Amino acid sequence: MGLPFLDSFSAAAGRGVWHADELGLADAQVAATGHAALDAELPGGGWPVGAMTELLQATPEAHVWRLLLPALARAVEARGGPVVLIGAPYEPCGPSLAAQGLPVEALMWVRSEAPAARLWACEQALRCADVAAVLAWLPQARVGELRRLQLAAAQHEVLLFVCRPESAAQGASPARLRLQVESCAPDSAQIELRILKRRGPPLAAPVMLPARNERMAALLAAARLRRKLRLQQQGTVPAGEAAASATVVRIDAWKGGANALDRIAVVA
């Protein structure tokens, strides 16, 4: 019996081969991020399920909730289990999260300063069938420890997000997807997302997302307008000229005390 021609192999193989200059297809399930501009740049169009997504930031709480809330809310709705927060730098603001689709009762906050305890809690959460997603702050984690978490996420098909400092971008990581998250210097109303690692070509320009959701942006814009009109009526600000001071808008805290979502400074 004759052997098939090489051209036959080439034609069949070419249909399933990923080329480095193309955005790769997801080889597993994905969850939509809730941000169309970001979905368009991710393999499969969303966060990888059963794999680690690494978020690198200058400050540990910066923009995490704005970025992840849509996917976390959908994960809770789909699986019915909690989102486990491990080592969160601030207590989550319940009313603000609930207003954006993530109820307080769906959060489980594991507090620990010990790196080994955080890793252990993260691995146990990933192995729990009821958990919808895991969001962990692991600034001191080593590559081998992250690889173990990656394997646990793959075995149990859980969304896993790990927050680490920007300095970690210089080192290796087993994460399927790595993003650097930072405020946009020219425009504080925008977030810059730099995709450091994905199955696809390097991304030349960052993905830009609004720093606040539409409802919050509308509330803050209305507050700025009311303050400007009041100051104009008092004669303290010339008409058509914005004030140069800052106003602090407070969102009521869930249980009181400092948290990541109840302090928003805006220029009036």
Side-chain angles (χ1 to χ4, degrees):
M1 183 174 66
L3 295 175
F5 290 105
L6 181 60
D7 287 347
S8 300
F9 284 116
S10 300
R15 290 193 292 270
V17 172
W18 165 64
H19 300 275
D21 60 347
E22 300 175 350
L23 185 61
L25 299 175
D27 54 5
Q29 181 184 357
V30 299
T33 68
H35 310 286
L38 180 57
D39 284 342
E41 301 296 343
L42 299 182
W47 301 120
V49 178
M52 180 190 302
T53 295
E54 195 173 12
L55 306 176
L56 307 177
Q57 309 153 283
T59 54
E61 76 281 2
H63 307 302
V64 168
W65 290 112
R66 175 69 186 118
L67 180 61
L68 301 183
L69 256 176
L72 295 179
R74 290 193 184 100
V76 169
E77 184 178 1
R79 297 186 63 144
V83 172
V84 180
L85 311 178
I86 298 171
Y90 294 99
E91 181 175 353
C93 180
S96 180
L97 295 179
Q100 298 175 71
L102 185 61
V104 176
E105 56 271 19
L107 297 178
M108 181 180 294
W109 186 20
V110 179
R111 302 177 62 178
S112 176
E113 296 300 325
R118 289 189 184 188
L119 286 166
W120 181 86
C122 190
E123 191 167 358
Q124 298 308 307
L126 290 170
R127 296 183 186 283
C128 180
D130 293 333
V131 168
V134 175
L135 172 54
W137 283 260
L138 305 174
Q140 298 172 321
R142 295 187 291 268
V143 173
E145 295 166 335
L146 294 175
R147 187 175 292 114
R148 193 167 68 242
L149 298 181
Q150 163 76 11
L151 290 174
Q155 290 172 356
H156 301 278
E157 298 185 344
V158 179
L159 277 170
L160 170 61
F161 301 97
V162 173
C163 300
R164 302 180 70 204
E166 280 184 334
S167 57
Q170 305 304 317
S173 171
R176 179 82 57 84
L177 179 66
R178 300 184 89 190
L179 279 72
Q180 184 173 338
V181 186
E182 56 189 9
S183 298
C184 178
D187 184 1
S188 61
Q190 298 287 318
I191 303 171
E192 286 187 2
L193 301 178
R194 300 184 182 277
I195 301 179
L196 306 182
K197 179 181 179 182
R198 64 172 179 173
R199 190 180 184 185
L203 191 62
V207 177
M208 307 299 294
L209 298 180
R212 305 182 184 98
N213 63 27
E214 294 180 0
R215 181 179 178 185
M216 180 63 69
L219 289 172
L220 294 177
R224 286 197 297 267
L225 180 59
R226 287 196 301 269
R227 183 174 184 273
K228 179 180 176 180
L229 292 175
R230 185 173 66 253
L231 292 176
Q232 288 177 357
Q233 292 171 356
Q234 295 172 352
T236 56
V237 177
E241 182 178 330
S245 60
T247 300
V248 175
V249 180
R250 180 179 174 81
I251 305 171
D252 290 340
W254 175 21
K255 296 179 181 177
N259 56 67
L261 293 179
D262 68 345
R263 298 188 304 261
I264 302 178
V266 297
V267 177

